[in-house]
Amino acid sequence: MNSLELEQFENQLIPLRKKKSRMRYRVAVIGGGTWATAIIKILSTNLEHIHWWVREPEIVEGVTKYGHNPLYLSSVFINPKEVKVTQDIRQAVAKADYIVIVSPSAFLHKTLEPLQKSKLNRKKIIIAVKGIVPETMQVVTEYLRTQFSIPLGNMAVVSGPSHAEEVSQEKLSFLTSASTNSDLAETVARFFKNRYVRTSVSNDIMGVELAVVLKNIYALGAGIYSGLGYGDNFIACYIANCLKEMKRFVNQMYFREERQLSDSVYLGDLLVTAYSKYSRNRMFGNMIGHGLSVKVTLLEMKMVAEGYYASRCIHEINKEEQASIPILEAIYNVLYENIPVAAEMKRLSEYFI
């Protein structure tokens, strides 16, 4: 059997399947890490036109030549005919109507620096990054609104209990699209919905975004306690107290009577980030709990733990808000004030109920 006959024979073994029609929206993804790669995988099932900005030349070469991101989630296949990868952020943004921001918030200011306001403020912005922009001490929606004049109604936040590693394995995950613009929220939910991702919509964009910031810090605290040798019984109590504090702080910042923090986008995301083996924030805290210094931990981590940067930002924001957030302040003290880890976390535990 020659090669042509073999190919024809193998094709006969593949069940005939009608190709799913994909939406023709033009979308650009900004960021090249694990979550960005997982998002590319999700969007590729639904969209025809995807442009992907990454910083690293290795990713450009890996995708264009071999169909893989060699640095993150390298097992995920990325069709270079369908996903156009580039190191030119201006080019990626110019070719899209919807911009998905996945670049870590700690570096977002520098990432977006080459863009003129006029090139971004006419776009619909989908925020899939979890943190605060340290240069301005703002959540990402506020940063984009003030720095790029993007109306809040042109922005959506995508969040939920969904580690990139499990998404890459097509394990069932849940995401929420939050926006004050109900049409935009529904459109974004359609972008992300597929066989292994279920989506819902919300209009609590600010509450969702702030809760996402806080859960990363709380997960870091869970890692610290685990590293110190505290058990699951205690950590379950710790997380229950975190949820109370989260509710208090989020409601003080953005009051909303009907907000239910038991929803998966709040509580579910907190739980998976605090407990999962894939959680970078838990891993960061665990290393601190085991006695590594913050400096060494930052050097050892190969990916960004947003909770580290966010804890300082929340501390600064709370100087004005004056909310009661003892858990967040204790974690800040450990990370930035060189307070002995074991003593500070033991002191904090005395207040839990």
Side-chain angles (χ1 to χ4, degrees):
M1 184 180 291
N2 60 39
S3 59
L4 178 59
E5 291 172 330
L6 179 60
E7 182 180 354
Q8 291 172 340
F9 174 75
E10 290 175 340
N11 287 338
Q12 290 172 4
L13 298 179
I14 300 173
L16 291 176
R17 182 182 304 174
K18 185 177 179 180
K19 189 173 182 180
K20 177 184 174 183
S21 59
R22 288 180 293 178
M23 295 178 281
R24 303 186 69 180
Y25 294 90
R26 302 191 310 160
V27 175
V29 175
I30 306 300
T34 53
W35 187 221
T37 306
I39 283 177
I40 288 290
K41 177 180 173 66
I42 296 169
L43 296 180
S44 295
T45 64
N46 294 324
L47 300 170
E48 286 188 1
H49 306 291
I50 302 175
H51 298 273
W52 189 11
W53 175 84
V54 298
R55 190 182 306 279
E56 301 88 346
E58 302 98 312
I59 299 179
V60 175
E61 181 182 24
V63 172
T64 54
K65 287 187 177 181
Y66 309 110
H68 297 277
N69 181 341
L71 302 183
Y72 306 99
L73 299 183
S74 57
S75 63
V76 172
F77 173 69
I78 301 163
N79 190 336
K81 294 181 180 179
E82 299 175 351
V83 178
K84 304 302 180 184
V85 61
T86 178
Q87 286 183 274
D88 187 339
I89 193 170
R90 297 184 187 90
Q91 181 186 78
V93 168
K95 290 181 177 292
D97 302 311
Y98 292 78
I99 312 298
V100 184
I101 295 179
V102 205
S103 179
S105 59
F107 313 123
L108 186 61
H109 183 75
K110 184 173 180 61
T111 296
L112 299 183
E113 203 169 30
L115 296 175
Q116 298 175 355
K117 285 185 180 181
S118 60
K119 301 300 182 183
L120 198 61
N121 62 15
R122 299 190 184 98
K123 313 287 185 177
K124 298 291 194 300
I125 308 297
I126 303 166
I127 299 160
V129 57
K130 305 174 180 181
I132 291 177
V133 181
E135 286 84 356
T136 62
M137 296 294 173
Q138 293 171 304
V139 293
V140 179
T141 51
E142 276 297 298
Y143 172 79
L144 293 172
R145 188 180 63 80
T146 58
Q147 300 296 314
F148 288 90
S149 302
I150 300 171
L152 189 61
N154 282 359
M155 291 187 275
V157 169
V158 172
S159 187
S162 51
H163 280 302
E165 291 82 358
E166 291 197 356
V167 170
S168 73
Q169 298 167 36
E170 301 188 1
K171 293 187 176 181
L172 184 60
S173 302
F174 295 80
L175 290 172
T176 296
S177 167
S179 177
T180 59
N181 180 339
S182 59
D183 290 337
L184 178 59
E186 292 285 355
T187 297
V188 172
R190 291 200 304 273
F191 286 177
F192 283 83
K193 182 179 181 180
N194 64 19
R195 177 175 53 80
Y196 53 90
V197 178
R198 293 181 186 170
T199 58
S200 60
V201 297
S202 167
N203 56 12
D204 184 23
I205 183 171
M206 302 308 296
V208 167
E209 185 172 30
L210 183 57
V212 164
V213 173
L214 299 180
K215 63 95 180 179
N216 282 333
I217 307 173
Y218 292 135
L220 200 151
I224 292 175
Y225 274 123
S226 178
L228 287 169
Y230 288 75
D232 290 344
N233 295 343
F234 172 82
I235 292 175
C237 179
Y238 163 77
I239 292 172
N241 281 268
C242 288
L243 188 65
K244 291 180 186 177
E245 183 174 291
M246 176 188 285
K247 181 177 181 179
R248 188 165 60 243
F249 189 59
V250 171
N251 282 340
Q252 180 162 330
M253 292 285 291
Y254 308 111
F255 179 74
R256 192 180 189 86
E257 189 172 350
E258 67 272 23
R259 180 183 292 124
Q260 298 292 329
L261 262 69
S262 58
D263 291 349
S264 66
V265 71
Y266 309 105
L267 177 57
D269 206 5
L270 170 61
L271 289 172
V272 77
T273 312
Y275 279 115
S276 176
K277 64 182 179 180
Y278 297 121
S279 172
R280 289 169 284 177
N281 291 286
R282 180 186 170 93
M283 184 188 304
F284 189 102
N286 193 268
M287 294 165 76
I288 298 293
H290 273 104
L292 272 69
S293 69
V294 171
K295 184 177 180 180
V296 170
T297 301
L298 286 168
L299 291 172
E300 289 290 325
M301 289 287 291
K302 300 191 186 311
M303 295 181 287
V304 176
E306 293 277 12
Y308 168 72
Y309 301 97
S311 62
R312 181 178 69 86
C313 296
I314 291 295
H315 172 78
E316 294 298 324
I317 289 170
N318 199 49
K319 287 180 179 178
E320 182 175 339
E321 293 296 324
Q322 292 295 302
S324 174
I325 50 171
I327 301 173
L328 294 168
E329 289 295 348
I331 295 169
Y332 167 82
N333 288 339
V334 166
L335 298 180
Y336 289 93
E337 298 295 339
N338 295 317
I339 303 295
V341 180
E344 181 70 355
M345 301 309 279
K346 185 177 186 301
R347 179 196 64 78
L348 176 65
S349 71
E350 301 297 328
Y351 296 97
F352 293 164
I353 57 172

